[in-house]
Amino acid sequence: MAAAVRPRLVRALPMSRSSITAVATSVFHGPSHRQLHHAVTPHGKGGRSSVSGVVATVFGATGFLGRYVVNHLGRMGSQVIVPYRCEAYDVMHLRPMGDLGQIIFLEWNGRNKDSIRRAVEHSNVVINLVGREWETKNFDFEDVFVNIPQAIAQVSREAGVEKFIHISHLNADIKSSSRYLRNKAVGEKEVRNAFPEAVIIKPSDIFGREDRFLNYFANIRWFGGVPLISLGKKTVKQPVYVVDVAKGIVNAIKEPDARGKTFAFVGPSRYFLFDLVQYVFAVAHRPFLPYPLPHFAYQLIARLFEISPFEPWTTRDKVERVHITDMTLPHLPGLEDLGIQATPLELKAIEVLRRHRTYRWLSSEIEDVKPAKTVNI
């Protein structure tokens, strides 16, 4: 009889948040010290105006990958808390991604645990996308990739968060020549220690409309050619589409067996860097004039860009990362294990590179471009 009465209570009081919360608390057995918020009670037929039961705090939501993750969470009816440090108007593009009141903005300080705790205290999912392409005098790579993720993971664990997802990098390695990748590797270890059941995702270089990968190579033409160490013929890349990564993160939330696992997200094809950059210029209908540049000379040029008080076009560490071959990690689960078919670069490159075309070639079809040569995996 009790089993028959409970569903009626939910239907009889669809607008009463306190009643829904009370019923949900009796159904879901979470940590006793946390009061279950009404937003984690799933209802509706799916879509932005329904309630998925996911309340996610997305750190780093204002970045490249973040906007796609927030959009996929919002479109399935999740409530998303967006901690931000920037000007409030710089996050307004995220507001339409969820139903009214479902995207919540909150100022935060990565060095203040009370600020982090305030951002995660009502969430059952926390996603860390915090990242930085270059170091500043206020935040170096150790702060961004080690200290802040460790603090977020530790506070999330103490707050009783059910699932924690941390984004690392495919090439994260403590022995890497890149300081960026060395700190990514240390960050993985610290997150795993602070939150043993954390889901760690290691994507390769991500491409998409706002990326710093394909756009980076397309803009390199301002050098009067394309400088590459060893002409890029000793470097192999396996880029992954940003939408696939965002879907993978959302599916990892839904997948109960994902707890404590590490995933490697990569694209379906591997390319020599030379062939990849050649394809980028072919799609952009720009002349491809590669020339070899010694490592020390490239580092010197990058050092000059670092002096700029504005966003540097490249850095010495970026030069290192670009010329590091992507690892192959067949022992780790990937996109396919989360039900996602990786999107080929050739299908989406035009979305990124059309803006680099001259007016003459603006509407040219992508079929006119020969696909890039691939390397056997």
Side-chain angles (χ1 to χ4, degrees), residues 21-26 28 30 34-41 124 162:
T21 302
V23 173
T25 304
S26 65
F28 297 103
R34 299 193 82 198
Q35 183 178 2
L36 197 62
H37 196 268
H38 68 85
V40 301
T41 310
N124 53 18
E162 298 172 16

Side-chain angles (χ1 to χ4, degrees), residues 103 133 243 368 374:
I103 308 294
E133 284 279 310
V243 174
D368 300 338
T374 58

